[in-house]
Amino acid sequence: MFGDLFEEDFSFISNNHCGKGKKSKPRDSEPPAPRDFTNLSGIKNQGGTCYLNSLLQTLLFTPEFRGNALFSLGPEELGTLDDSSRKPDTKVRIIPLQLQRLFAQLLLLDQQAASTTDLTESFGWNSNEEMRQHDVQELNRILFSALETSLVGTSGHDLINRLYHGIVVNQIVCKECKNISERQEDFLDLTVAVKGIAGLEEALWNMYVEEEYFEDENLYRCGACDKLVEASKSAKLRKLPPFLTISLLRFNFDFEKCERYKETSCYTFPIQINLKPFCEQTERDDSEYMYELFSVIVHKGGCYGGHYHVYIRDVDELGNWQLQEEEDRLIEDKALRDTENAKEVENPLAVLKGILSEEESKQIPVDQLGQKLLEKKGVSWNKKYRKQYGALRKYLQNHPQIFQFSPDENKVGLKEKHKLLFKADSQGQDLQSPPQKNDVQWNSEKNPTRLRDSSSGCHWFDLNDSKVQPIKEKDIEKQFQGKESAYMLFYRKSQLKRPPEARGNPRYQIPEHLLNEMNAANTELQKKRAECDSANHGIDLHLHLSSCYKFHNGALHPSLTWKESVVDLTIDRRKTLGDLRLSVFQMLESWEGDMILSIAKPLPAGLHLYQILDGDELTLDGIGLADGADVFVWNGKEVGGTKVMTGPDHEPVVVNVLRLAEYNEGGKGQHFTESQHVFSCSTKLGDLHRALAPSGGIILKNGSGPDKEAKNWQVFLEEDMKETVKSVGLTDGCSVLILDSHDQSFVNVSSGNLTAFTYDISWLQVKNFCRTEDEEKHVKITATIETVMSDIKMKAIRELQLEEELANDSCLRPVSGNGKLLSPVPEDYTVKEAELKMGSLLGLCHGKAPTSTQLFLYFIVGSDQNSSPEMEIVVEETASVKEVSLAAFKSFCHAWVRSAAPGELCLISVRHFRSSGDTEAKEGFLKIPIWWFKSSSHMKHGQNAQDQVNGMTCKMDALQVHVDSSVVSFFLPPFPPSKDSPEYIHTDMDLCYAGSIEIAAEASLEDLKMQAMTLPCCQEQIVPLPSFLRAWTVDSKRPGKLLRNNKQQLNDYKLGARVEICIEPLQKEEYLGPHELLLRVQMGIPGERNYCDSTDLVWDISKECTTWALRHRVASHYCLPVDKIEIAKYFPEKFEWLPISSWTQQISKRKRKKKQESLQSAPYHLKDGDIIGVKNLLLDDTKDFSTVRDDIGKEKQRQLALEKKKSRQTGRLQDHVFSEEKLNIKPRKPEVALSINVGVFR
């Protein structure tokens, strides 16, 4: 009826009632938490079932419904749950059976909250229904109807009628003949008005005492008089049920505003009420009409969202009711004063309060509290108190009124008033602890002792889903009004008395088979909690045996394999160091002499030892042994006859030593030799100098790690030689450069810095294209990446013995692999800015090079791209399209020109467009546009980052100029291309339109490639076989899905009618399997925000697709250590890089078994064609993967977003006010009626 009227507000739900362990384990493996001090169980919220939980708790605390009615029905009447699964044809009354089982769990099972999943499944509800909020008044009627239907033909067929059924009689009395006309109405609950009424008594008075009169024009037709007469109308309660349910009409509809609202005005209701004035028969004793309130369902929130919880009076006194104030008073009153009795167990509450009250800081770590207890009392918590009171953390959590945890629950302190009370107690008397929840013996017939207040039977609890807490009776008055107010009231007859054996006995009237089931479940729960406790406190230690190690090169190294030298040991962190030592002795039966245990740590140089573990009475947690710690077992003096230095002052450091290599004419890449040396961090720098440069020389340190930029290399001065390796900042992986005397020209002595990149000292080739001589000559010019191109040109002119006047009319142009001259390099560029690789070939040509503000463009004249020659032109970056075309026209007057108007120029295009006469593909055929894919790694050096991001498509009237890879095409299209047509230029990708093909849908991928090879654009490429081509679908102007298996039919790919295909040429044949992932990896250039050309990487993911596996595959591809790289995935649509987390920590065998997250899932969604950036940490320790291209792209996206925002704001201002208001209305889900599915049992 109300659908989603009351959507769940999860802010009222407490999700975490458990302490945080140091090990994170799957939530499903954790056993449910035991009950808290109230000894009552809550109910888990399935997402939107708080209304169901509140009603179920009310029924549970209705003893006559629970015991006398529901539990009295046995398996012979209801059947069993096993029959429902084993005998599908058997009529099993599942709803009452599941309700019985749930009530037994709530009463007997030692868990903080029970689940209603089985019950809601018996209702026929799915997950959507469990997440949808409904009205609890509606549920009350529907659930009672379902129970009545389910119990047809059993002794409980009249259960609902017997407990909740009442009768209202409506009477009309004729004032003339006194004839009484009456009509009876049955009710299970009474609905009373709230608006404009002060309270429940007033509402009942208006309904059942005051009369309505028919008079004047509003007369009543009397059946006896057979005429219109004056009459009076009234209603009375004819029959009162044992349990009276009252629904308050809190939610109304405002017809003026056309919206629902919640009535939050004050509405009182009594704890006890006398219904005699409202009844038809009043001759009986007043006690027959007295009712007591025992449940109040509260709704918190508004009419469109909120949360239900319930206040309940514990009629059978099943819970431990104790408020904080009363508990504090009782604890103080029952203090233990007889401390002389040695047999009396000392109360841990007083001991812990004494320790915490002496602390200056407000809170201390929980682990440290246990250590202080050991120091003060000489005995640990585990040995003295754990058996009786449970774990220390759990004991502290069970006393929230005394101890206060920090938000992360790692620290604990004493609440302020308890600290003051404890200090004021001059006698230091111990306080008695209240009984704990862990002391409840569920299988014992003797009930546990409970602390109660003076008014027996008046205990109230607030049951809020999983959370249960005691409240006072006067707290009910807070629910008279406001957004959090009473919604349903449940009264019981005062005459209903409970037998003495039911008081405090949750097992009362529960059937034997349910008792046995709950006993078995509690036993299993205790077993799981013990196992979980052991697992949560278990730590894995790696024991390194000295007999399997030898000491050399400053560190310990295994003489055997690592696996044979290490013994894994699992032990409880709460055990002492003495227990650990004993366990090691038992494992190593042949050990002789003293046994010393030292903390060890694997370093790049090897295993190093730190402090010795001492104090056998201390716990492993107290001495700081963590999970996965390495412990070295030895005699404390030597290993293999060699004395071992321990501690952080003697840590071995691995230093990378670089020396300039001999001149290698054809060498590329690194131009230095690299070796690794190990030194103690306490080694003097002078000793290091003598070891590395015995014949003299200079030592330089890289100040920023492996970047090795010139500005970061610093010379060690003479005064530094007395410093230690540690004090000068040399750590693992740091590099030092040794320069002999003939290499010292690269050092600026005054500043102590290196003047060039050590790995960039190399050469370039220059070839003479000026043709002043018959033969073209080559020369090699030494250069670094900071060398200016004008200097290289002058050196080349001198080396070629040309006239120096040629410098004014010549330029350097890179030569491609096929011998083509590329665009000239501006003379003010450095080698780095020109993006030239060392060893590249440059051509010395006639003509001036463009400046940094000019563009060098190619253009083609004519309709035949193959026969038309490429021509060149230099223009300013700011030149318009008209200026470019006019300059081309004046420079090359032999081009085909047609002047349509002054200032308008149209050159014939090399681009071929589909004619307007093209038709759709025939039935059974696919018409597929084909694009030719060019890898971005082949871009020419002259293309800057802005061009790569944007491309450029310009228009001037009918003239269109497309700039792509420094080539200009002028064309006049037959009709304007649209974005939907294949002719639309993908300006942000290297896609060239080749044409379209028509192919049968049953053809194979190989046939498609063969047909694509016949297109004119593809014929220019040398492609011997279809296996030398890679086919992609085009998705959002980019290569999308990779099409595998040349023999597979196109139908199997489910391409769709509007698919476009791009073809990528390969250098070799490729046959990708179904479990092989194709990635494009590119190595970052050290010191630059740029990358080398991307290469294809094929990765087999058949075994695993994890971070660890990808890092190993990339490291293997680049022949680098796996811990010396960082990788990230590129998202081109966002211009963002997402680092793929490192996998460097050591993990235990138990953790290794856990399946790691696949990279094909969130957040990486790794797929074919993804770009993976790689950082070589040996050369570049920067974590930023972004490039200048990304900065420009993000800025452009930001500008587009601002423009869209401005346009939206402008549109809103133009809209009508009413339309603007409609946009602000919160959309609500459609209302869905609540229902419970019940079988037929008649």
Side-chain angles (χ1 to χ4, degrees):
M1 173 168 46
F2 289 93
D4 293 327
L5 178 60
F6 309 104
E7 294 179 356
E8 187 70 36
D9 184 354
F10 296 101
S11 62
F12 307 109
I13 302 174
S14 177
N15 294 319
N16 184 15
H17 306 288
C18 306
K20 295 181 180 177
K22 290 190 177 181
K23 280 189 178 183
S24 61
K25 292 190 174 291
R27 193 174 184 89
D28 295 339
S29 65
E30 294 278 356
R35 303 187 180 209
D36 57 18
F37 70 96
T38 62
N39 194 30
L40 297 179
S41 176
I43 301 178
K44 296 177 184 177
N45 194 320
Q46 295 188 52
T49 57
C50 59
Y51 67 103
L52 174 65
N53 296 348
S54 301
L55 183 60
L56 290 175
Q57 291 284 19
T58 299
L59 297 178
L60 174 70
F61 284 89
T62 307
E64 290 75 10
F65 176 89
R66 178 188 73 225
N68 300 346
L70 190 63
F71 282 149
S72 64
L73 302 172
E76 62 280 358
E77 292 187 279
L78 303 179
T80 63
L81 294 174
D82 293 337
D83 292 340
S84 63
S85 57
R86 292 184 299 184
K87 303 175 182 178
D89 297 334
T90 306
K91 290 187 176 181
V92 179
R93 305 168 194 269
I94 297 182
I95 293 179
L97 282 173
Q98 290 291 5
L99 199 57
Q100 279 186 346
R101 191 165 179 267
L102 175 63
F103 282 3
Q105 291 175 350
L106 291 170
L107 291 170
L108 298 179
L109 201 57
D110 184 18
Q111 60 182 4
Q112 183 181 2
S115 173
T116 56
T117 304
D118 293 338
L119 179 64
T120 54
E121 285 181 359
S122 70
F123 291 169
W125 293 359
N126 54 26
S127 57
N128 292 333
E129 193 66 44
E130 292 159 359
M131 293 297 295
R132 186 180 290 121
Q133 181 67 249
H134 286 285
D135 181 24
V136 69
Q137 298 175 4
E138 180 187 14
L139 174 68
N140 183 57
R141 300 187 182 106
I142 293 175
L143 180 58
F144 280 0
S145 175
L147 282 174
E148 283 185 320
T149 306
S150 298
L151 298 177
V152 169
T154 68
S155 59
H157 67 278
D158 60 344
L159 183 154
I160 303 300
N161 190 66
R162 189 170 68 246
L163 297 179
Y164 297 95
H165 179 261
I167 298 176
V168 173
V169 58
N170 294 288
Q171 297 179 340
I172 298 179
V173 181
C174 177
K175 289 191 175 182
E176 293 190 7
C177 66
K178 305 302 180 184
N179 178 60
I180 299 177
S181 174
E182 65 179 31
R183 176 172 56 87
Q184 284 192 171
E185 292 181 2
D186 299 331
F187 70 87
L188 294 178
D189 63 282
L190 296 177
T191 302
V192 298
V194 174
K195 183 179 180 181
I197 299 176
L200 178 61
E201 292 96 332
E202 182 182 344
L204 293 175
W205 185 273
N206 295 339
M207 293 170 64
Y208 302 117
V209 176
E210 289 193 355
E211 296 181 342
E212 179 184 355
Y213 294 100
F214 298 96
E215 55 188 8
D216 297 333
E217 295 181 358
N218 183 27
L219 298 176
Y220 168 73
R221 178 171 292 278
C222 177
C225 302
D226 195 22
K227 64 178 181 178
L228 295 175
V229 296
E230 292 186 350
S232 61
K233 179 182 178 182
S234 63
K236 291 290 183 182
L237 297 171
R238 175 166 288 181
K239 177 190 173 185
L240 293 175
F243 296 92
L244 180 62
T245 304
I246 298 177
S247 301
L248 308 183
L249 283 176
R250 285 280 185 189
F251 297 99
N252 291 314
F253 189 85
D254 190 330
F255 288 94
E256 293 183 0
K257 296 182 179 180
C258 291
E259 63 181 13
R260 291 173 177 147
Y261 70 96
K262 180 178 180 180
E263 188 64 52
T264 58
S265 58
C266 182
Y267 190 89
T268 62
F269 47 88
I271 300 298
Q272 289 187 334
I273 187 171
N274 188 345
L275 297 179
K276 188 174 182 178
F278 317 118
C279 293
E280 182 183 28
Q281 301 173 3
T282 58
E283 64 276 3
R284 289 177 291 180
D285 187 72
D286 282 357
S287 60
E288 294 282 341
Y289 305 99
M290 292 300 298
Y291 279 78
E292 295 178 346
L293 183 69
F294 77 97
S295 177
V296 180
I297 293 182
V298 180
H299 180 263
K300 182 177 183 179
C303 61
Y304 293 116
H307 178 68
Y308 288 101
H309 61 107
V310 60
Y311 288 174
I312 288 181
R313 184 163 69 94
D314 186 9
V315 177
D316 278 352
E317 302 182 34
L318 301 177
N320 291 330
W321 185 88
Q322 198 61 57
L323 292 177
Q324 181 174 332
E325 295 81 0
E326 282 77 1
E327 184 174 0
D328 297 342
R329 178 177 52 80
L330 290 173
I331 291 175
E332 300 293 340
D333 292 343
K334 293 186 177 183
L336 297 177
R337 303 182 184 278
D338 190 8
T339 57
E340 297 178 359
N341 188 358
K343 295 182 180 180
E344 185 75 12
V345 178
E346 189 176 18
N347 193 325
L349 194 63
V351 176
L352 296 176
K353 288 176 68 175
I355 294 173
L356 292 173
S357 64
E358 296 174 0
E359 290 296 319
E360 295 181 359
S361 59
K362 292 184 178 180
Q363 292 182 331
I364 63 173
V366 177
D367 299 331
Q368 189 175 341
L369 178 61
Q371 189 67 23
K372 290 184 177 293
L373 175 65
L374 178 64
E375 295 173 357
K376 290 184 177 293
K377 299 298 179 181
V379 63
S380 67
W381 174 274
N382 292 338
K383 290 187 176 180
K384 188 168 184 179
Y385 300 109
R386 180 178 177 81
K387 186 174 181 180
Q388 183 177 1
Y389 297 99
L392 175 59
R393 182 183 293 272
K394 203 65 183 179
Y395 182 83
L396 296 171
Q397 290 174 340
N398 290 340
H399 293 79
Q401 68 283 354
I402 297 176
F403 304 106
Q404 183 174 6
F405 276 89
S406 63
D408 58 359
E409 297 191 2
N410 288 329
K411 292 184 178 182
V412 67
L414 204 60
K415 287 195 172 179
E416 196 62 33
K417 62 177 182 178
H418 286 279
K419 186 176 289 189
L420 295 174
L421 286 172
F422 194 90
K423 291 182 178 179
D425 188 359
S426 58
Q427 302 296 327
Q429 298 168 346
D430 294 340
L431 304 179
Q432 183 177 8
S433 169
Q436 301 303 308
K437 62 180 180 181
N438 292 336
D439 296 338
V440 177
Q441 302 297 324
W442 295 98
N443 297 326
S444 173
E445 294 183 358
K446 183 177 179 181
N447 297 324
T449 305
R450 298 179 177 84
L451 297 176
R452 306 193 178 278
D453 66 349
S454 56
S455 58
S456 177
C458 294
H459 306 148
W460 284 82
F461 293 90
D462 178 11
L463 291 94
N464 190 347
D465 288 337
S466 300
K467 186 178 180 181
V468 181
Q469 59 183 9
I471 60 171
K472 291 183 178 180
E473 190 176 274
K474 64 181 181 181
D475 291 334
I476 299 175
E477 298 177 3
K478 299 177 183 177
Q479 309 305 327
F480 286 169
Q481 61 185 347
K483 286 192 174 182
E484 183 176 9
S485 51
Y487 191 61
M488 285 189 76
L489 309 175
F490 296 83
Y491 285 88
R492 58 182 285 121
K493 272 193 174 183
S494 301
Q495 288 184 337
L496 295 175
K497 302 298 181 183
R498 298 294 292 155
E501 57 269 22
R503 179 161 296 180
N505 182 12
R507 304 166 64 88
Y508 182 67
Q509 292 183 324
I510 296 181
E512 189 66 26
H513 70 280
L514 287 176
L515 287 176
N516 296 333
E517 181 183 347
M518 294 303 110
N519 288 339
N522 275 320
T523 302
E524 185 66 23
L525 268 179
Q526 295 302 325
K527 180 181 177 182
K528 285 185 177 180
R529 287 186 182 127
E531 293 174 353
C532 185
D533 182 72
S534 175
N536 285 337
H537 293 90
I539 55 175
D540 294 329
L541 301 179
H542 307 302
L543 302 179
H544 302 262
L545 310 181
S546 61
S547 58
C548 302
Y549 278 81
K550 56 184 178 182
F551 185 83
H552 69 89
N553 206 14
L556 291 166
H557 300 271
S559 54
L560 304 173
T561 64
W562 182 271
K563 185 176 181 180
E564 294 172 330
S565 304
V566 179
V567 178
D568 291 334
L569 174 66
T570 301
I571 190 170
D572 195 318
R573 69 172 75 241
R574 296 165 294 186
K575 288 190 176 183
T576 63
L577 182 60
D579 297 332
L580 173 60
R581 200 183 302 277
L582 180 60
S583 299
V584 177
F585 265 119
Q586 293 173 351
M587 292 176 62
L588 308 175
E589 298 177 355
S590 60
W591 186 274
E592 296 181 358
D594 296 336
M595 175 184 287
I596 301 299
L597 304 179
S598 296
I599 296 292
K601 183 180 178 181
L603 299 176
L607 197 69
H608 184 67
L609 306 184
Y610 292 86
Q611 74 270 21
I612 294 176
L613 299 178
D614 196 13
D616 285 358
E617 73 283 355
L618 301 178
T619 64
L620 300 182
D621 204 21
I623 63 178
L625 268 186
D627 185 34
D630 294 275
V631 178
F632 194 75
V633 184
W634 63 316
N635 58 14
K637 298 177 182 178
E638 48 84 22
V639 174
T642 304
K643 185 178 179 181
V644 178
M645 305 300 291
T646 64
D649 294 335
H650 298 283
E651 280 187 1
V653 177
V654 179
V655 179
N656 292 324
V657 180
L658 308 178
R659 300 176 188 270
L660 286 181
E662 295 294 329
Y663 179 75
N664 182 6
E665 182 175 316
K668 292 183 180 181
Q670 294 180 343
H671 292 272
F672 54 83
T673 61
E674 183 175 355
S675 60
Q676 292 186 337
H677 295 259
V678 179
F679 296 96
S680 172
C681 64
S682 59
T683 302
K684 297 289 186 182
L685 204 58
D687 297 335
L688 183 144
H689 183 272
R690 285 187 289 273
L692 297 179
S695 59
I698 298 176
I699 299 181
L700 300 94
K701 181 189 75 167
N702 191 338
S704 63
D707 280 345
K708 294 191 285 295
E709 290 189 8
K711 61 183 179 182
N712 293 322
W713 287 96
Q714 299 175 351
V715 178
F716 284 124
L717 304 178
E718 188 64 32
E719 53 267 25
D720 296 330
M721 296 301 158
K722 296 181 181 179
E723 299 291 333
T724 63
V725 169
K726 184 176 182 180
S727 62
V728 296
L730 285 178
T731 58
D732 286 316
C734 281
S735 299
V736 296
L737 177 64
I738 309 298
L739 292 181
D740 297 331
S741 56
H742 62 278
D743 295 326
Q744 295 179 18
S745 59
F746 294 109
V747 177
N748 186 336
V749 180
S750 61
S751 63
N753 290 336
L754 198 63
T755 58
F757 292 94
T758 59
Y759 66 96
D760 280 321
I761 300 172
S762 189
W763 48 271
L764 295 170
Q765 296 182 84
V766 179
K767 184 177 180 180
N768 180 15
F769 279 88
C770 293
R771 302 189 183 278
T772 56
E773 300 178 4
D774 294 334
E775 295 183 1
E776 298 173 352
K777 293 178 59 177
H778 290 74
V779 292
K780 295 179 180 177
I781 307 298
T782 304
T784 71
I785 63 172
E786 298 299 331
T787 304
V788 181
M789 296 304 299
S790 59
D791 295 340
I792 296 176
K793 185 178 73 171
M794 292 304 300
K795 288 181 182 180
I797 291 174
R798 295 190 188 101
E799 291 286 337
L800 292 169
Q801 299 179 357
L802 302 175
E803 298 178 1
E804 293 194 3
E805 289 77 8
L806 188 62
N808 298 326
D809 188 27
S810 62
C811 60
L812 292 176
R813 300 178 63 172
V815 181
S816 66
N818 58 6
K820 178 181 178 181
L821 286 172
L822 306 180
S823 59
V825 181
E827 294 192 354
D828 55 349
Y829 274 26
T830 63
V831 173
K832 178 180 178 181
E833 291 172 336
E835 301 180 5
L836 293 176
K837 296 180 180 178
M838 289 304 171
S840 297
L841 176 62
L842 300 174
L844 182 64
C845 307
H846 283 296
K848 291 185 178 182
T851 65
S852 57
T853 62
Q854 291 179 327
L855 292 176
F856 183 89
L857 303 177
Y858 296 96
F859 67 94
I860 300 172
V861 178
S863 58
D864 188 353
Q865 183 180 4
N866 296 325
S867 60
S868 300
E870 282 188 351
M871 303 182 183
E872 304 167 352
I873 189 173
V874 177
V875 296
E876 294 292 332
E877 283 184 345
T878 57
S880 65
V881 177
K882 181 188 294 185
E883 293 170 344
V884 172
S885 59
L886 288 175
F889 171 66
K890 292 178 182 179
S891 300
F892 306 95
C893 60
H894 61 273
W896 290 7
V897 179
R898 179 176 58 86
S899 181
E904 179 181 349
L905 177 67
C906 300
L907 300 183
I908 297 178
S909 170
V910 300
R911 186 112 154 101
H912 297 282
F913 281 84
R914 183 176 59 184
S915 65
S916 59
D918 285 355
T919 59
E920 295 296 326
K922 294 179 291 185
E923 185 176 357
F925 283 76
L926 298 173
K927 194 154 191 177
I928 303 176
I930 301 297
W931 297 85
W932 193 259
F933 176 69
K934 302 176 184 178
S935 174
S936 60
S937 62
H938 302 304
M939 290 182 182
K940 309 300 184 295
H941 83 279
Q943 184 178 7
N944 57 30
Q946 180 69 42
D947 295 337
Q948 293 180 27
V949 175
N950 299 331
M952 192 185 299
T953 302
C954 308
K955 294 184 180 181
M956 183 191 70
D957 299 332
L959 176 67
Q960 296 190 13
V961 178
H962 176 59
V963 181
D964 183 16
S965 301
S966 300
V967 179
V968 181
S969 296
F970 300 88
F971 56 91
L972 181 64
F975 57 91
S978 65
K979 289 189 177 182
D980 294 331
S981 66
E983 290 76 20
Y984 177 72
I985 299 170
H986 291 220
T987 59
D988 58 343
M989 284 301 298
D990 301 315
L991 295 179
C992 175
Y993 180 69
S996 63
I997 63 174
E998 188 167 332
I999 189 170
E1002 296 179 354
S1004 66
L1005 179 62
E1006 186 177 29
D1007 296 334
L1008 183 144
K1009 292 181 179 178
M1010 289 287 290
Q1011 197 164 338
M1013 290 167 61
T1014 64
L1015 296 173
C1017 181
C1018 304
Q1019 289 178 354
E1020 300 176 10
Q1021 307 292 330
I1022 302 176
V1023 182
L1025 293 171
S1027 55
F1028 283 77
L1029 293 177
R1030 187 183 290 154
W1032 304 79
T1033 62
V1034 178
D1035 185 14
S1036 300
K1037 308 177 188 177
R1038 295 185 177 90
K1041 178 183 176 183
L1042 178 61
L1043 303 182
R1044 290 176 166 81
N1045 190 355
N1046 284 340
K1047 302 300 181 183
Q1048 190 165 342
Q1049 291 185 357
L1050 298 180
N1051 276 339
D1052 299 336
Y1053 293 108
K1054 299 179 181 179
L1055 298 176
R1058 301 178 63 85
V1059 69
E1060 298 181 27
I1061 299 294
C1062 68
I1063 301 297
E1064 179 184 4
L1066 304 175
Q1067 298 298 321
K1068 60 181 180 179
E1069 293 181 284
E1070 180 180 82
Y1071 300 95
L1072 290 178
H1075 299 293
E1076 288 182 325
L1077 201 63
L1078 176 68
L1079 303 175
R1080 303 191 190 275
V1081 294
Q1082 51 187 31
M1083 175 66 71
I1085 300 176
E1088 298 182 28
R1089 295 182 63 195
N1090 205 350
Y1091 291 87
C1092 300
D1093 292 346
S1094 64
T1095 59
D1096 292 346
L1097 174 68
V1098 178
W1099 177 30
D1100 185 5
I1101 60 172
S1102 57
K1103 294 183 179 179
E1104 57 180 337
C1105 184
T1106 60
T1107 302
W1108 179 84
L1110 178 58
R1111 287 175 58 82
H1112 271 266
R1113 180 67 184 91
V1114 175
S1116 174
H1117 178 73
Y1118 285 106
C1119 300
L1120 291 171
V1122 69
D1123 59 339
K1124 295 299 181 182
I1125 64 169
E1126 287 293 337
I1127 58 178
K1129 179 190 169 181
Y1130 185 55
F1131 292 85
E1133 66 279 0
K1134 300 179 181 178
F1135 298 96
E1136 290 180 355
W1137 295 85
L1138 179 60
I1140 300 178
S1141 304
S1142 300
W1143 190 87
T1144 54
Q1145 68 272 21
Q1146 294 184 359
I1147 58 174
S1148 65
K1149 293 179 180 178
R1150 183 189 311 172
K1151 292 181 179 178
R1152 196 176 295 127
K1153 293 179 181 178
K1154 180 182 176 182
K1155 185 176 180 181
Q1156 299 184 47
E1157 292 292 330
S1158 171
L1159 290 179
Q1160 291 182 305
S1161 58
Y1164 299 104
H1165 300 290
L1166 206 62
K1167 64 184 183 302
D1168 291 307
D1170 280 347
I1171 298 174
I1172 303 296
V1174 185
K1175 292 283 187 178
N1176 182 358
L1177 299 184
L1178 292 173
L1179 302 176
D1180 188 359
D1181 63 349
T1182 58
K1183 302 297 183 182
D1184 183 15
F1185 283 85
S1186 64
T1187 64
V1188 177
R1189 176 183 188 273
D1190 300 326
D1191 296 342
I1192 297 173
K1194 286 184 178 179
E1195 178 61 22
K1196 185 177 179 182
Q1197 286 184 340
R1198 191 183 69 83
Q1199 294 294 340
L1200 290 174
L1202 289 175
E1203 291 175 6
K1204 288 182 179 179
K1205 184 177 179 181
K1206 290 179 181 178
S1207 64
R1208 284 197 300 267
Q1209 290 174 350
T1210 304
R1212 289 196 189 99
L1213 293 175
Q1214 295 174 351
D1215 289 340
H1216 193 269
V1217 178
F1218 181 74
S1219 300
E1220 187 175 321
E1221 292 176 353
K1222 289 180 71 176
L1223 291 174
N1224 296 327
I1225 298 176
K1226 178 184 176 183
R1228 291 191 294 274
K1229 299 176 182 178
E1231 297 181 358
V1232 180
L1234 180 65
S1235 63
I1236 296 178
N1237 300 327
V1238 187
V1240 179
F1241 302 102
R1242 298 186 184 277

